[in-house]
């Protein structure tokens, strides 16, 4: 099933996408039990609605460095030997930076030329798990707590990423976290394939399953210490080298069985 | 004015505290314009309500290392020379870890003995500012965007903090972020004094104004790159050395003109 969050006639709702039609639903499909939302009967053409960020997470998790070639490339860029993470330590991103499919990536005038994409699978949590509810969940059961999957572009200004003490502006400047266009349920993350394009040129491609630590492992490890709640998102990291983008570039992240997240770079003068 | 968020009769509301009385208000005083909330007429005795975390932030910012003696102490603990931050780089904490005044700090059985408090001033944003709304705000005007101030305990497991790649479980294990007991408006952060006690023994004490970078500077710098929205919180960091806590310890953070945040350590076996 394909869920979107959208605005039409000045009102924002969740909807089910079937073909080119959006069927409006009442309620919040992610945070409510499955029975509690229903189609209102209203429909829209998909092309006529404004797609919104598909969920605003209570906590915004990001696996960070989680693919071997990306870790190796990033280390060489810093003149260091690669040091593959030995554990699934999760990081954070910030809600201020989220923008939907189709929204510009707006780059501050003082950013350096090292503005880069990172195409990532995004896991959307659908059911609470953690120390005081379920206890730690096993890898076997971990996907039971997933609502569905969407796509993220972890836009990064590498000079700030290396030079600042934290990644606050390198990765969390407003508009640096495009997410969408919608959420697809019922997928096996191990089957998914990511293709990254800049202006129609393929600049990266990988299988989600080549991650150092997979979705099941992250959820299982996290649930030992923290409570995941419906709507939380976990960005799974990217693979491979990444390249600079310039003003006007269109960056597209395509994930098989989900769709394509497209955002254009708008560099402030 | 002193604002709390509380539960009474199975319902959670904001309230104004006057003496020992909580006056219930309708609406959300932080996210709505000042005129849009009003006293409902209902009152409670402060001692009879369950205080809740005073605000659930859209984004949870933390200044991190922001006081000179704490930086020096932490570096020596790691066997390194202190390296004072040269810029106001902001970090993040996570909403799953928030608990109110009076709630236990629940420590996982596999934590090491290095479980420590950090008593901090917390700034609560009251008015949107940032690149696309106000543009960057000056230090002179920065406090116009503050709703009020509360207290945080940035509980930290130092072994995990040093050993993990990120601070996800060191600082964001469930219950590791006590915040409260309430929010006080109209304060000058430079006047505030922090006293930290464990079981009535003073273990730390400092003036908020001795921070490397103050509240005005942080808000001004952040607003160049990101949009702060009502309800966002910014934890300002702690000063001095910190000590281990053990099962049963009561940790109290007192800030002049705000109050005292008290939480007991409950170490799981």
């Amino acid at each position: 099933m394909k869920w979107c969050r959208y605005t039409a006639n000045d009102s924002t709702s969740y909807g089910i996408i079937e073909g080119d039609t959006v069927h409006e639903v009442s309620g919040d499909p992610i945070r409510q039990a499955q029975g509690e939302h229903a189609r209102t009967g209203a429909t829209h053409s998909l092309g006529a609605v404004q797609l919104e960020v598909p969920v605003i997470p209570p906590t915004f998790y990001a696996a960070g460095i989680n693919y071997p070639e990306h870790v190796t490339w990033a280390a060489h860029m810093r003149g260091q030997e690669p040091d593959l993470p030995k554990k699934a330590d999760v990081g954070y991103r910030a809600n201020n930076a989220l923008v939907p499919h189709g929204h510009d990536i707006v780059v501050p005038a003082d950013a350096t030329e090292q503005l880069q994409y990172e195409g990532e699978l995004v896991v959307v949590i659908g059911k609470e798990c953690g120390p005081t509810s379920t206890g730690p969940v096993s890898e076997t059961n971990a996907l039971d707590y997933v609502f569905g999957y969407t796509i993220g572009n972890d836009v990064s200004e590498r000079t700030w990423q290396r030079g600042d003490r934290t990644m606050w502006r390198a990765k969390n400047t407003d508009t640096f976290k495009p997410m969408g266009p919608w959420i697809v349920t019922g997928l096996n993350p191990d089957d998914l394939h990511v293709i990254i394009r800049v202006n129609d040129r393929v600049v990266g491609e990988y299988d989600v399953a080549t991650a150092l630590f997979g979705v099941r492992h992250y959820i299982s490890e996290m649930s030992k210490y923290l409570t995941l709640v419906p709507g939380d998102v976990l960005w799974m990291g990217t693979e491979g080298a990444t390249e600079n983008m310039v003003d006007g570039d269109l960056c597209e992240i395509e994930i098989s069985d989900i769709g394509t997240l497209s955002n254009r770079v708008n560099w402030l003068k």
Side-chain angles (χ1 to χ4, degrees), chain A residues 39-160:
Chain A
R39 298 185 190 215
T40 64
T43 63
H44 306 273
S45 162
L46 179 55
V49 304
Q50 165 68 46
L51 288 172
E52 304 289 353
V53 171
V55 62
I56 306 295
T59 301
F60 186 163
Y61 297 98
I65 49 176
N66 194 30
Y67 282 88
E69 289 172 25
H70 184 71
V71 177
T72 304
W73 166 82
H76 289 156
M77 292 290 285
R78 294 189 305 267
Q80 298 171 346
E81 282 304 300
D83 183 18
L84 294 187
K86 286 158 198 68
K87 292 196 279 79
D89 294 324
V90 72
Y92 299 91
R93 302 288 182 270
N95 286 351
N96 70 285
L98 288 169
V99 287
H101 171 73
H103 193 290
D104 280 357
I105 300 162
V106 181
V107 186
D110 63 343
T112 74
E113 74 287 356
Q114 294 194 39
L115 181 86
Q116 304 188 338
Y117 51 81
E118 292 188 0
E120 309 196 354
L121 177 68
V122 175
V123 182
V124 181
I125 298 297
K127 226 158 78 179
E128 181 172 320
C129 61
T132 52
S133 48
T134 57
V137 302
S138 68
E139 293 195 29
T140 310
N141 296 333
L143 296 191
D144 296 349
Y145 299 89
V146 174
F147 177 79
Y149 300 89
T150 184
I151 306 170
N153 189 349
D154 191 10
V155 173
S156 307
E157 207 280 23
R158 302 294 185 200
T159 308
W160 292 340

